[in-house]
Amino acid sequence: MSGANCSLILGGLVLLARSFRLARGVAAIVALGGLAAFVMMVGPDASVLRAAVMGAIGLTALSSGRQGRSLGFLCLAVTGLLTLDPSLGTSVGFLLSVLATLGIVLLARPIASWAPSWVPSWLASAVAVPLAAQLLCSPVIVALQPQFSSCSLLTNIAVAPFVAPVTILGTIAVPLVPLLPWLAIVPIAVAGASAGMVAAIARFFAGLPGASLPWPEGPAGIATMSLWSVGTVLLVWLVLHPTRVVSAVLWLHGRLVLLIAAGESSLRRRWTR
């Protein structure tokens, strides 16, 4: 969740700075300084560094008035981090973090756009983002631990509303504890309750029957999970486009009828000779 946490911190600081009518460049500097402090507080591991660097690059581009693409930001962040610390290339956490972000960048918006018009956009995004991340991360996860977590998508969707309070209020409470400890009680309480909800939801889904299913090991497991990911995308598209599926089935049925009729007529001509 480091990418989501860094995004929440960056977005919150930018909104706070802009609420004081600070210039865009000044607001960007404030947000970058706050992000750096956040990274130092939580610990600069591989996934946090990746998320922080990508967020910083994106914010710098936006503050200068040049909007780029998220994929370009991700590639630039990964290249910069690997140049500074090549050992990150052997970090599984770094790989999973990059794959999750890549899945979100490439697949989240198309999957969300497949939702029917009556589905709220926030709900479509809440499902599309964790699904996109899971599709690209699953083959690597299976290589590390040959099992399929059938409830992971539902778990990520269920805990999503509690991530922002944990991140934002928990971060706000850090400087308040030494300065105004009595004022830190409320954000700590809300952040702690939200963290408890995240843990409770995770334990609930982990305890359901069939929550963890066996999966093949080695290259066979990676290949089958990759096929499963591709099949999941196709299945989601089929479920969310019933009219197109029906039209395609009817078109194929018509073509099959014509093919059978042509074959029957050809056989009849041969028998009559």
Side-chain angles (χ1 to χ4, degrees), residues 2-3 6 39-40 42-53 81 85 88 91 93-94 97:
S2 60
C6 290
V39 170
M40 295 304 297
V42 301
D45 60 21
S47 60
V48 176
L49 283 175
R50 189 273 312 156
V53 171
L81 287 172
D85 186 4
L88 291 177
S91 171
F94 181 74
S97 182

Coordinates of all heavy atoms in Angstrom, one line a residue, residues 2-3 6 39-40 42-53 81 85 88 91 93-94 97:
S2 N 2.2 1.1 -0.2 CA 3.0 2.3 -0.1 C 2.7 3.3 -1.2 O 2.8 4.5 -1.0 CB 4.5 1.9 -0.2 OG 4.7 1.2 -1.4
G3 N 2.3 2.8 -2.4 CA 1.9 3.7 -3.5 C 0.7 4.6 -3.1 O 0.7 5.8 -3.3
C6 N 1.7 7.1 -0.3 CA 2.4 8.3 -0.8 C 1.5 9.2 -1.6 O 1.6 10.4 -1.6 CB 3.6 7.8 -1.7 SG 4.9 7.1 -0.7
V39 N 8.5 9.5 4.1 CA 9.4 8.4 3.7 C 10.4 8.0 4.8 O 10.6 6.9 5.2 CB 10.1 8.6 2.4 CG1 11.2 7.6 2.1 CG2 9.1 8.7 1.2
M40 N 11.0 9.1 5.4 CA 11.9 8.8 6.5 C 11.2 8.3 7.7 O 11.8 7.5 8.5 CB 12.6 10.1 6.8 CG 13.5 10.7 5.7 SD 14.8 9.5 5.2 CE 15.7 9.3 6.7
V42 N 8.4 6.3 7.8 CA 8.0 4.9 7.6 C 9.1 4.0 7.3 O 9.0 2.7 7.4 CB 6.9 4.8 6.6 CG1 5.7 5.6 6.9 CG2 7.4 5.2 5.2
G43 N 10.2 4.5 6.8 CA 11.4 3.7 6.4 C 11.5 3.6 4.9 O 10.6 3.2 4.3
P44 N 12.7 3.9 4.4 CA 12.9 4.0 2.9 C 13.2 2.6 2.3 O 14.2 2.4 1.8 CB 14.1 4.9 2.8 CG 14.9 4.7 4.0 CD 13.9 4.4 5.1
D45 N 12.2 1.7 2.4 CA 12.4 0.4 1.8 C 12.1 0.6 0.3 O 11.7 1.6 -0.2 CB 11.6 -0.7 2.4 CG 10.1 -0.4 2.4 OD1 9.7 0.4 1.5 OD2 9.3 -1.0 3.2
A46 N 12.2 -0.5 -0.5 CA 12.2 -0.5 -1.9 C 10.9 0.0 -2.5 O 10.8 0.9 -3.3 CB 12.5 -1.8 -2.5
S47 N 9.8 -0.5 -2.0 CA 8.5 -0.1 -2.5 C 8.1 1.3 -2.1 O 7.5 2.1 -2.9 CB 7.4 -1.1 -2.0 OG 7.3 -1.0 -0.5
V48 N 8.5 1.8 -0.9 CA 8.2 3.1 -0.5 C 9.0 4.1 -1.4 O 8.5 5.1 -1.8 CB 8.5 3.3 1.0 CG1 8.4 4.8 1.4 CG2 7.6 2.4 1.8
L49 N 10.3 3.8 -1.6 CA 11.1 4.6 -2.4 C 10.6 4.7 -3.9 O 10.5 5.8 -4.4 CB 12.6 4.1 -2.5 CG 13.4 4.3 -1.2 CD1 14.8 3.6 -1.4 CD2 13.6 5.8 -1.0
R50 N 10.1 3.6 -4.4 CA 9.6 3.6 -5.7 C 8.3 4.5 -5.8 O 8.2 5.4 -6.7 CB 9.2 2.2 -6.1 CG 8.8 2.0 -7.6 CD 7.3 2.3 -7.8 NE 6.5 1.6 -6.8 CZ 5.3 2.0 -6.5 NH1 4.7 3.0 -7.0 NH2 4.6 1.3 -5.6
A51 N 7.4 4.4 -4.8 CA 6.2 5.2 -4.8 C 6.6 6.7 -4.6 O 6.0 7.5 -5.3 CB 5.3 4.7 -3.7
A52 N 7.5 6.9 -3.7 CA 7.8 8.3 -3.4 C 8.5 9.0 -4.6 O 8.2 10.1 -5.0 CB 8.8 8.4 -2.2
V53 N 9.4 8.3 -5.3 CA 10.1 8.9 -6.4 C 9.1 9.1 -7.6 O 9.2 10.2 -8.2 CB 11.3 8.0 -6.9 CG1 11.9 8.5 -8.2 CG2 12.4 8.0 -5.8
L81 N 15.8 4.8 -9.8 CA 16.1 4.0 -8.6 C 17.1 2.9 -8.8 O 18.0 2.7 -8.0 CB 14.8 3.4 -8.0 CG 13.9 4.4 -7.3 CD1 12.5 3.7 -7.0 CD2 14.5 5.0 -6.1
D85 N 20.6 2.5 -7.1 CA 20.8 1.3 -6.2 C 20.5 0.1 -7.1 O 19.3 -0.4 -7.1 CB 20.0 1.4 -5.0 CG 20.2 0.3 -4.0 OD1 21.2 -0.5 -4.3 OD2 19.5 0.2 -3.0
L88 N 18.3 -3.0 -6.0 CA 16.8 -3.1 -6.0 C 16.3 -4.0 -7.1 O 15.2 -4.5 -7.0 CB 16.3 -1.7 -6.3 CG 16.4 -0.7 -5.1 CD1 15.9 0.7 -5.6 CD2 15.8 -1.1 -3.9
S91 N 15.2 -7.2 -5.6 CA 14.3 -7.1 -4.5 C 12.9 -7.5 -5.0 O 12.3 -6.9 -5.9 CB 14.2 -5.7 -3.9 OG 13.1 -5.5 -3.0
G93 N 10.1 -7.3 -3.3 CA 9.1 -6.3 -2.9 C 9.1 -5.1 -4.0 O 8.1 -4.6 -4.3
F94 N 10.3 -4.8 -4.4 CA 10.4 -3.7 -5.5 C 9.7 -4.2 -6.7 O 9.0 -3.4 -7.4 CB 11.9 -3.4 -5.7 CG 12.1 -2.3 -6.7 CD1 11.8 -1.0 -6.4 CD2 12.6 -2.6 -8.0 CE1 12.0 0.0 -7.4 CE2 12.8 -1.7 -8.9 CZ 12.5 -0.3 -8.6
S97 N 6.0 -4.1 -6.3 CA 5.5 -2.8 -6.3 C 5.4 -2.2 -7.7 O 4.4 -1.5 -8.1 CB 6.4 -1.9 -5.4 OG 6.0 -0.6 -5.3

